[in-house]
Every structure is written in structure tokens, then in C-alpha cells.
Amino acid sequence: MGSVTTAGEAVARIAYLSSDVILSVQPALDVESEFSKHLQSYASNKAQGLVAKDVQAVRHNADPLLSVFQPIRSGKLVSVTTSSSILLPSIPHLYKLAQYPVVIHVSLQPSNYPDFSEITSIRQSGFTFLQSETLQEAQDIALSAHALAIKSGKGVIHFFDASNSAEDDAISYEDRDLVKRILDLDAAKAFQASAVGGSSLHVDDARTATITETNLPTLNGQGAPSDVASPSTGKALSKATSTENSSVGSSRRDSSVDSRPTVSSATSMDSTVTRPVTSEDIYNMVTETWSHISSATGRSYHAFEYTGPPDAESALFIFGSTGLFVDEIRLTNSSDDFSNFAIITARLYRPWLGTKLAESVPTSVKRIAVLEQIRRKTTKWGPLLLDILTSLKTAPSSGGAPLIIGHQLGYIEPSTVRQALRGIFQNLNSPSPIQNLEVGNPDGPKQALQQYGLEQPKVESAYMKILDQIFGDRLHVANRLDASNAGISATISSSPEFGFGSLIARMEHRKRFTGEVQDAAKTRDFVTDVPQSWLSRWALSAEDPSKANSMAQEVIARLSTDGSKLASALLANKKLFFKESQWLIGSDAWAYDLGNSGVHHVIASGANVNMLIIDSQPYSERAAADAARRKKDIGLYAMNFGNAYVASVAVYSSYTQVLQAMIEADQFDGPSVIVAYLPYNKENDSPLTVLQETKKAVDLGYWPLYRWNPENEEKGASNFSLDSERIKQELEEFLRRDNHLSQLMKRHPEFSANLSESYGSEVRTLQKRKAKDAYNKLLEGLYGAPMTILFASDNGNAESLAKRLGNRGKARGLKTMVMAMDEYPLEDLSNEKNVVLITSTAGQGEFPQNGRAFWEAIRDSGDLDLSSVHYSVFTLGDSHYWPRKEDKIYYNKPGKDLDVRVAFLGAKKLTDIGLGDDQDPDSYQTGYAEWEPKLWQSLGVDNVEGLPEEPPPITNEDIKIQSNYLRGTIAEGLEDTSTGAIAASDQQLTKFHGTYMQDDRDLRDERKAQGLEPAYAFMIRCRLNGGVATPSQWLQMDSVSSSYGNETMKLTTRQTFQFHGVVKGKLKSAMRGINKALMTTIAACGDVNRNVMCSALPELSAYHRDVHQVSAKISDHLLPSTTAYHEIWLKDENDKKTKVAGDAVVDHEPLYGPTYLPRKFKITIAIPPHNDTDVYAHDIGLIAIKGSDGRLEGFNVLAGGGMGVTHNNKKTYPRTGSMLGYVSADKTHIVCEKVMLVQRDHGDRKNRKHARLKYTMDDMGVDVFKGKVEDLAGYKFEEPRPFAFKSNIDTFGWQKDENGMNHFTFFIENGRVEDTAEFPMKTGLREIAKVHKGEFRLTGNQHLVLSHVSDDDLPTIKDMMKHYKLDNIQFSGLRLSSSACVAFPTCGLAMAESERYLPELITKLESCLEENGLRQDSIVMRMTGCPNGCARPWLAEVAFVGKAYGAYNMYLGGGYHGQRLNKLYRSSIKEEEILEIMKPLLKRYATEREAGERFGDFVIRIGMIKQTTEGKTFHDDVAEAESDDEA
């Protein structure tokens, strides 16, 4: 059995066992409290409690007890773990919550010298107060608190000083059986079934905890209220009664001994009486609880604890830290003055039971020293002293009342305890004792522990930075955290209410100043007349920001030169000449707007004040249900006033909309409220987490983006502008639903907490039922035994198997039904006869996405009876996917788990589980071929004759042949508005047109939960010869991304533009926008020759021009000839001359033929010494050879390079190109054609994993392949010319070419061009493009070269670059040399993050680089989300290739020049392991490398990795051998 070492842990364990909801109050979400670390551990480990669990973290400054109302009124048992700092601000809530069974566990603060006045200040709130002092008491009293709350129906506060028990020995875990016996679970269930409902804080404020008794005489004429439900005799419950029945459990000293009502005239002995819970009831209930604890453990507790000799004459009544006194008195000897002292403490502090105190104090006690550790003293006499005086002076006593002397207990050093006790004894025994004598240091220890202060989380700085960017010096944030307000705490001065008051004062000050300026303009008190005219003009425009601010500097300058007394007086307030943009900030983290009062004041005032309210609550069902916390409703509240500008924004959804809203708010003459979304679970969450949460909330309509401007109506425009792209399509249904739910909640408030929460699940349930019913109807007319096939599939294989099995079952006479697991209504499962479960394996042994909910329901179900079900499981996996032995459990884990669980629930096996293994000769089909016959045999349909032949599966080759030269049904699919998707076959064909259909994987689960189809959108890739674009083309691409995409551009590793997030309805417009720039997307993807790359070469412009012309010639020469592209995307709406489909159009593809190429085909050109396009990685790599005149002469030709690989499939591998020879420049396009034609005719069209040119060359042999190319060309390759590469990275910064023109290479991390609060990159490049006269060159490493800047234009360009922070290239060499593919959220092939994660990983390595002097050293690091190799990872010196979400294969040893492949070093490692490997390795590289030795060469030399000599040996001699052992 484990042990507990701290009071916080003891309390957290009991709270977790005993509560439905635990509110963990923390200094900040990323700063743990003494309770939270334990609670979060239990929750994350899904520890079992006695009731359901939900641990919610709440900030200490964010009105935490507000979050109690919703769950407690919904029938949830709620406990709160907190420090004492929240108690005083929460007093209004405490009075209401006292009549609910909420338990608040309070750790008194400061931790080394706690202030007990936090408790005395709230003693009259109606709560019951229990105190614990030791570690064991913390456990027992915490349990007592929960038991008492359940039994009494009243709130209980359990408080303790954690430092008091810091040195206690560890105690055992609580006895769960004892906890069950102590907690009245029946009463708990009764409360859980008695939800009150109501979301307003003012609902049911007259609620009083009552108790119902039977067989007691009733008062004459006073029966029990008819509307009060009565539990069993003697049970307490919470029920609203009249306000006259106020709680008698309060702490009034004159009511310390409460009793039941006196019976004046008994009228019946069989009646029931319902009455408020009294102090005596509380005492009886808690005493009963303590009696149970004593019987079980021997530990006794009393309302007042008396410790000491039974005949003691002096006693200490301590309300403070007792530990030091107890220890010291225990160690005293008989000679000490205080050796006969007793100690009294209040275990049950409220209700205060004076008679129980009198009973607990022996009559021998003549003197009592009362020690109160109260730092916030508001009366002359301490509250405890008054309690004791009242109780003991009025109590009957045979020996007379003892002398009671009050003392103020300060901080006492352990070494001075004896001295303090002696002083107390001397004062107590003095003939004239001093009342309120101070003992110890009242100011606390010299080195007091610093308490957590308010901080603006780094993640929230995004909005503040945008405000700074827009308004600059004009910006004034009235409640900024760093503002100095003498004598006012940061908590108060940062509040919006305080800020509003200061703004009003500031506005009045400026108004008076404007009047002073107007008066000054009329006087003759200036030395000259010049200031008067300027002041007059300024005064006329004082409220116009643009005019006032433009004149302000001039006015100040004139006054400064005047020198008069009046000028000096005005200059004393010169800041007021500027018209500020005045803002208030509301943030739960540091500027909490209590009760939204700041918002109300701003709107109601009508003042020209702007308010930015940051909502950090992540989108979740809980957040949607807790109306008291929903800031998005503030927008509706503000719009109802009619006088305010209102906007709802989200910086991680639309940066542009945030800018627009802030500018419009500033321009609006009146109050403005911007509700800004910035969801995070902890203040140190990564931007990626915030981005994902934001996308879910915006996409699903939880956080719509809009702007409301009442002034628009006067201009004839709409007041309301909806800016959410997705919600535009679903707005009508969304609003209808919202209105319906709102009205339903008003009619049935008791349902309000659950209606919004359950809507999505209701939609899913309805969909499942409709699908199942449709199947049943379809099967009604069939005969034969039923067979239900349920699949979970992540890549389509399991789904294909399931559908094929269903068809085969029908052919055998079975009534088959095939559904995804998550689409199946689980409640029907027990009624099925035969069930087949087919699942693939996702991630780290996880269920595929469309089977997770099904599995979780099966796994967690305790009452699902499958005894009448027969079943079989087939599962697909890869036995080598997780090579380490300890990870073998992940092989086919979902299917194995499902097999065990279904059997456990009583189902009978049709066959043993079938295991499909990708490592078998025919992949998973090998195991499937063994399993399926056994299934038919067990069903008795194995010998059916006359089975029809199955049609072969449709392949990509079939799709191309049947497409009529890439037309398919694309045009018809674009017109279909019922879905955001297009047909599966068209998805293959649109790739040839330069666009992929994708969906946002960040949103899949949430949209599914809402009953919506995936968030389909399209990626568009341009065809840009050699990566060169004009400024006008750049501007057009910027416009396309903003108007039709997700407001960002991706500069790809193939030197072109890529757009994401283009919805189907905008796809054609986006294509036309690209065509408008004289650019195209044809053949940017698909089984054709794609964009031809070319080195950027900024230092030699004429040479670059020669090479670029060849790249353009190759690209144009190999372009497909089909007219389908023009017909589908570019024809005008009235163009009826051409038919898109049918026999009227017969195209001809002279190079490609109707089936085009077997797979994609890529060509690149590198110009030595720069291999910045990775010339070895492509189907054709051309190495430019310079002639003696410095111009292009010809090319060395490489062929057979390629990057695509499949994890653990050794038949697939990356390959570097093989040298074929040299050709002159004029023949190059012909040679490229012939290489492509050999691939067209000899490439593998049956197996797409073996269809690239690299496999064709290895199958044929390089010499044979070369010969076929020469035969087609009609001439031989010449011997290759000498060349040398020095690197494959870009050269950043300014360079000058041979013509004196300037070129600057920007660092564009991972090619993503976007605006952020920190870096307005996209805006800056757009503004530069407006004035730039040269060109833009995109590089193969995803960066950008600003080319051909003349010396005359250089100052202007440099100024603009500096303004937009575009001139910064001071990054680590590792970051400058890094590259990543897109991966999540849009790439459907991604297994892990890449573009969004690599920058974070590099940041975590940069401190190590600094420490080892490697900051400036270039190390090529690349990351991809899957093994397809878009960022060409196999050539990097160190690479990380996604294996599962958060897990990567690590490769080492690539060549720095891009000439050598790397090799697997570790498989399936996560960030922690990556850092554990990289940091020591970087240190070793820094100390052991040879002169000029590159990182990739170093790891080979020291033996960490073997060199890869060619693609076919890529899988040989890896550092981490794969194990053949099965789990």
C-alpha cells in the first residue's frame, strides 16, 4: 500500500474519491498548487473514485467559485481545492453556496506564516468549518467534511496549515472501504437526482438546507411545507424554503447553542416535520462520522480538542499554527513554568458550540491564553477571544469562569518557542495580565515566501502586439499590468473596472486641457503670434485622431521655441496633444472582469472607449454548457445595446480580421467591444495547441467571427458582417438551432446545463440510427443468416476488406451489412447474431479514427451482454513497425484488444483472430487468405457453388484511361453543392490539374461529433518555371491566398506557390485568379512531369538567366496537351463552344498517351557550387556546366533519383540519381523527353509503390536504361564534365551580382508566408512587391530571394524590410539549414507533425548549440510527416520522419552537399528521446570534429551510423536492427 507525505496529497485523494467535480484553484494554469499535481495525475491515469470525476483547473483570480454553481445546481457533488487567497473576494458566492453540499478545502497562506483572518472574516457565511492540524488529521477531516456535506446538505470548509504537518511522518493511503462506509452514498445519490437547474447566479437564493423527521410531534397549525420532498427519516437534503427559515448554522455568537423548535401543542404523533438544519444537527452528524472513524481506526475527534493533563490549571487556546507549541510542551520537564499547560483547538470552528467548549475544558483550568494568528485585525478584540468569552463566561460552572487573556500570535522561529511560551505563562500569571499581547514577529519571517503575482501569459501577447503594431505611440491601455498606481495592488489596478475609471478621468483631463488650449489661443500671452494659429487649428480637430496627431508635433515644436510661461504650462501636458487610442483589456489570466461589470460600464457609459476581452477557455462540451463562463455571449449582450461597435475575432483563425476589427473599433465614435478568442489549457501551451483549439471553435460555429457596426446603417451598408468562412455555409441551420435551444432552455431551465452539451451526440445517434434502419430495410427481402461487418480504417485497407467480405457474403446467401464501427448504434450489438470486426492499426497501437468511439464504449461498458453473439476479428498491422521489443505490444493491438474484450462480454468466437501483417509476402492479404475460409466454414457457407467472379479493383491506370484525358466528372462535381468533396476518381484526376482534395485533420473529430462531414478544402499548387516570379505575380498570389485560401502562402520545396484551405465553391475562382497572373497549375501534381526547378544563383544574373531559360523550355516542352484544364477551370460561363465530357472532344497526348506516366516525374537543375535544389533527389537532375565565357554550355545528366518510401517496406527506398553523361544545352529538353519516354514505356503500372523511375533503372540496370535513352535520342551521352558542390542550403542576406544589382535572400521558415502578431511577414512582402522593380526567386529550400534591386532603390527597400522585420537573418545555423513539409493539418498522408513542430524542436536544441559554440554552424536538419519525402529528408545530415503522432524515425549521415543518403538510427522515438540523443551528440561534434568536417560525415567517422552507398543498401546495417520477435 502506498503512503501519503503531504496534507495537500491527503486532501486531494479524498476529494477525488468523493466528488463528481473537483475545481482545482491554481495560481495559473501552468503553475501547480499543492493539490493540483495530484488531482491531475489521478485524472490522467483515470483513477477510480466512488463517484464520477471531472477535474477542472481554475485560476485563483478568475472568480473561481463562480464555476461551482453550474455543476452543483445540476446535481453534481462539487469540491474545491484552493489556497485561502480566494476566500474574501468570494464572499458573495459563499453565502449562496452555504446551502449546497459543496466542500472547500483551504490551505492557509502564506505557507510559512498563514493568516487565519481569512477564515474568521468569512465565519458568518453559513458554512460549516472544520480544522485539521496534522497529516493524519488532514486525511480524516477531509473525509469528515465530505460526509458532513452530503448528510447535512450544507457547505463545509475544511481549512489547514500545511506547514504545520510538513515534518509529519508519512501515513498510509485511505481505507477505501472505510470511505464508502463514512460517505452516505444513498444521500449522495438523492442529491445527484435533485438537480435544481438555473444558470443565473440569482436563481434560488432563498435555498436552505433542511432536514425531514418522522414520528415527531408537529407544531399546532404548522405542518410541513407541501412542496418539500422528504427523504428517509432523519436525512438532510437541500431544498428551497422561505427566507424566514434562514440557516441557523451561522456563526452568530448569540445563537451558538441552537435547539429544535419547542412543541407548544402536539396534534399528531405520525406527522413529518421539515425544518432547517441546525447547529445541533451538524454536531450530531459530524460526531456520528467521527465515531465511525474511531471504531475503525482508534483515532478520536471532538468539536474542541483538549490535549494535556486532566488537572491542568492553565491552557492555551490556539487558533493558528500549533505544531511548534505542541512539540515544545511535549518535550518539557517538570521544572519548566509551562510544563502543566494544556492545549485547546477548535476542530469544529463553525457552528460554534459554546456548551461543547465548556464541557471539554476541565474545571481545574483557571487561566486560558487565547492565541490568534490573525494579521488582518479589524476590531480591538480578536473574534476567537470574543467567542470564548461568550461561551465560558455565560456557561454554568461550579468553580467559576476561568481568566481569559487574548494574545496576538505572530511568526515564531523554532529556536524561540520556549521563550515565547515562557512569556505567555508570565503574562497569564501576572497580577495584571496584558490583553492583546503580541507574541512573535507580527510581520512574518524575514524571508517570506513570495506569492504568485499576476502575469500576462506569453501566449496572450499576440493581441497586445497587434495593438502595438496598429496604434504605436497612440496606444494607451488603461489597465496595463506594468502601470504604476501608487498604493494600489496589481490585482485591482489591472482590473477593467479600475481601468475604466482611470480612462474616464483621463478623458476628462484631456477635455479640460482642450478647453485650456482654446482659451490660450485667444490670449496674447505668447512671445510671438505663431503658437496661437496652431493652437486654434489643433483645437478644432482635437477629437479627430489623424488630424490632431499630425498637428501635435508641430504644435509642440512651436510652443517649445516660444519660451513663454503659458507655453511652458501647456507643454507640461504635451502628451494630451495626441489623440490616444484608449483600450481596456479583460483577461481571466491577469485582468479578470468580475461579473462582466467592466463591459457593462463601458457600454452603458457611451464613452469612446475600446475594450478587448480575451477568452482563453478551450472549445469543449463543458465550456459550451457553462453559460456563466461564455464570453462569446458578451458580443450578443453588447449588440443589444445598439450603441456599441462589437467584433468577435480569433488571431489564430484570421489575423486580417483582427486587424480590421481593431482599426474599425478605434474609428468608431462610441464604446467598442472586441471579444477575442485565444484558447489554451495552460499559459505555456504551444502556439500549435492554440491554433488547433481555435480552428475547432471557429469551424464548428462555437466561436463565430463577425463585426457589428451600428454606423453602417447610415451608410446604407449592413450592420452585421460575418467573417467565418465555414459558418457562412451553415449559418442558417446554426442560428435556427441556437434559437431553438435558447427557447427550450427558457422553458426547461433544469435542462440548460446539458442541452448544448448533448446536441452533437444527439445528431450522431440519429445518424447512426437512420443508417442502421436503412440497412435493415434493404435486407428485409433477402434470405440467409445475417452477418454484420464493422470496420475501423485509417488508410482504406480495412474498409476495402470489409466491403469485399460483405459482397462475398451476399454471394454466399448471407444478409450482410457493412458499416464503420463509429457509425453503428452500439445498443443494437447484443441483438446481432454474427458480427465480424475488421480493424487496422493507427499510431502507437491505437484504433483508427472511425473506430475509437466504438472501442471506448465497448471497453468501458459494464452491462453489455453479448452472450447471444457470435463473432470474429481480423486485424491489420505491421510486425516490424515498432522494432524495439518493448514496443511489440503495439502490433495489431486494436484487434487483439477488441477480441479479448468482446469475448469477456460473453460473445462466442466464430474463428480465432486473424492477423494481417504488412511484412508477409502479400502483405496483410496473406493472413486474410487464411482467415476468410475459416469464417465461411464456421457459418456453413464454405461449399457454395456458382460464385460469380469478382471484378478487379479499379486502379489509377483505369481512372486515367476512363477520364477522357483528365476530364472525368470534375466539372459536375464542382457544381454539386451538397458536399464540399468531389468523387474519389476525380480526386485522382484533379492532381493533374494542380490541386489535391484534403480535409482539415485538426477538425475531423469535432466535426464528426457534430454530425458534419470533414472540413474539405483543396490545396492548389502553381507551376512556376525555375521559381521566378514578377512583383505583379507575387501580388496576385498574395491576393489569391487572402481571397480564396487560408490567408497564407506556402513556398514549396519545388520552388513554387502552394495555397491551402480553398473550399470547393472558390476553387474555380482561385484557378482563374492564378491564370490572371499569367501562371497555371496544370501538371503541378499528378503522373506527369511537374514543376522544373532551377538554382536561384543571385550572384550571377546572366548565367542564371541562361539556365532559367532552359528550365522554362523543358517545362513547356513536357507540358500535357489536353484542353480539359481550360475547359474546366478557365472557360467563361457563357462559353458553350466546348463540351467537357462526351465524345465530342477527342484530345491527343503526343508525349504521354491516354494513361500518362506510371507515377510522378520531377526534374531539377543545380548550378555548382550550389546544390540548393537537391539535384540527386529527382527523376532527372541537371548539373549546369559553365563555359569559358562564363555562360551556360551544357549539363551533366543524372537520372533515377527519388525520395518516396514506405515505412518498414524494404522493397521501397530512396535513391540518388545515377550519372548518364553530358549533353549540350540545346539538346537538354530532348534528352529529358527521352528519359521520360523510357519511363513511360517501362515503368511499373501495376504496383504504384514500385512505379518511380528509380525502380525502373534498378530493375533494368543503369547501362541498359542509358542505352534505351540514347537509342531514342539518336546520339550518345558525352563524358560528364567536372563540377563541385559546396552545400545544398541557401546563402542569406545581401549579395551583389556581376552587374552591380543587389539581391537579398529572406529566411522564410519552412516556406510559410503569413502574418502573425510577432511578424507581419506577408504584409511586408506585399508592400515591397508594390515598389519592387526586379523579380522574386523562390528557392528549393523554401526561402525567397528579392532579386535585381538597384542601388538607387536600395535605401527604400532596406527601410521597408526593417519596418516589417524582414531583414532579420540572425538565426542559428541549424534553423537556417532546416526544412519541413506541410504535414498536419491538411496533408492526408501525414502521420506526425512537421512544419508546425520542427521550429519548436530546434528552439529546444538551440541552447545546446549556444553552449557548445555551434550557433553559427550549418547542420542540415529536415522533417517530414510521412516517408513520402516531400522535404527530401533522406539527404539531410539529420532527419526526422513521422511514424505516428508525436513519434519519428531518426536518420543520420546524409551528405552536406546533398550527395549521400542517410540511414536509420532510431525508430519511433519521441521528443524526449530526440533531445537525449541530439544534445550529447552535438556536444561531441563540437569537441571531436576534425577541421572542416560536416556533421553527416562526423557521425559516420565515429561509427554512430554506417554510410549508405546507394539506394538499394538504404535498409542495410541500420543502427537499430529490427526485431523479428512477435509480441
Side-chain angles (χ1 to χ4, degrees), residues 571-611:
L571 286 173
N573 293 300
K574 62 182 178 182
K575 284 188 176 181
L576 297 177
F577 281 112
F578 295 91
K579 175 65 174 175
E580 295 172 330
S581 181
Q582 297 177 325
W583 290 80
L584 295 172
I585 310 296
S587 162
D588 287 354
W590 61 275
Y592 188 75
D593 190 12
L594 184 64
N596 295 325
S597 57
V599 177
H600 177 79
H601 287 319
V602 167
I603 298 172
S605 71
N608 190 10
V609 174
N610 307 307
M611 188 165 187

Side-chain angles (χ1 to χ4, degrees), residues 8 22 280 434 446 836 872 879 1023 1283 1376:
I22 305 109
E280 185 178 351
I434 302 172
K446 293 180 180 178
V836 176
S872 183
S879 60
R1023 189 180 182 93
F1283 65 94
L1376 292 172

Side-chain angles (χ1 to χ4, degrees), residues 363-380:
T363 56
S364 62
V365 174
K366 304 303 180 186
R367 293 170 298 277
I368 298 177
V370 179
L371 275 62
E372 298 182 76
Q373 193 167 305
I374 294 172
R375 300 168 67 183
R376 187 184 288 106
K377 190 176 177 184
T378 56
T379 60
K380 180 177 181 181

Side-chain angles (χ1 to χ4, degrees), residues 621 737 756-765 1008-1011:
E621 299 298 339
R737 168 205 153 187
S756 295
E757 175 181 344
S758 62
Y759 181 77
S761 56
E762 287 174 4
V763 170
R764 297 295 303 142
T765 302
K1008 184 176 181 181
Q1010 296 292 324

Side-chain angles (χ1 to χ4, degrees), residues 750-908:
E750 66 272 20
F751 299 145
S752 64
N754 302 314
L755 274 173
S756 295
E757 175 181 344
S758 62
Y759 181 77
S761 56
E762 287 174 4
V763 170
R764 297 295 303 142
T765 302
L766 184 62
Q767 287 182 331
K768 292 178 184 180
R769 173 55 51 208
K770 285 185 175 180
K772 178 79 187 316
D773 291 347
Y775 258 118
N776 289 339
K777 189 172 183 180
L778 186 66
L779 297 175
E780 280 175 2
L782 302 179
Y783 61 92
M787 181 174 71
T788 298
I789 304 167
L790 304 178
F791 65 84
S793 180
D794 60 346
N795 59 9
N797 290 335
E799 181 176 0
S800 297
L801 278 185
K803 291 178 177 178
R804 190 176 74 183
L805 183 67
N807 290 332
R808 290 179 176 180
K810 287 177 184 176
R812 283 172 163 75
L814 300 175
K815 293 194 290 187
T816 63
M817 178 175 68
V818 182
M819 298 183 76
M821 291 181 185
D822 279 4
E823 302 300 323
Y824 180 83
L826 189 63
E827 63 271 16
D828 286 1
L829 190 60
S830 58
N831 299 322
E832 299 288 355
K833 185 175 180 181
N834 301 304
V835 176
V836 176
L837 303 161
I838 300 178
T839 179
S840 57
T841 305
Q844 195 163 344
E846 299 160 5
F847 265 82
Q849 203 162 31
N850 59 354
R852 288 177 192 169
F854 178 87
W855 163 243
E856 288 168 1
I858 288 277
R859 180 194 62 198
D860 298 337
S861 175
D863 56 359
L864 186 61
D865 181 7
L866 301 183
S867 57
S868 63
V869 177
H870 295 79
Y871 82 98
S872 183
V873 175
F874 185 81
T875 179
L876 297 78
D878 186 336
S879 60
H880 286 189
Y881 199 81
W882 302 96
R884 294 178 295 194
K885 289 186 178 181
E886 63 267 27
D887 293 335
K888 284 298 183 180
I889 57 169
Y890 302 133
Y891 167 57
N892 273 325
K893 187 176 187 295
K896 291 177 180 178
D897 289 348
L898 196 57
D899 183 52
V900 171
R901 184 61 185 170
V902 172
F904 175 80
L905 293 173
K908 303 172 185 64

Side-chain angles (χ1 to χ4, degrees), residues 1501-1514:
R1501 181 177 63 80
I1502 64 173
M1504 281 193 72
I1505 204 78
K1506 296 288 182 66
Q1507 179 174 334
T1508 301
T1509 56
E1510 62 171 324
K1512 288 185 287 187
T1513 66
F1514 177 72

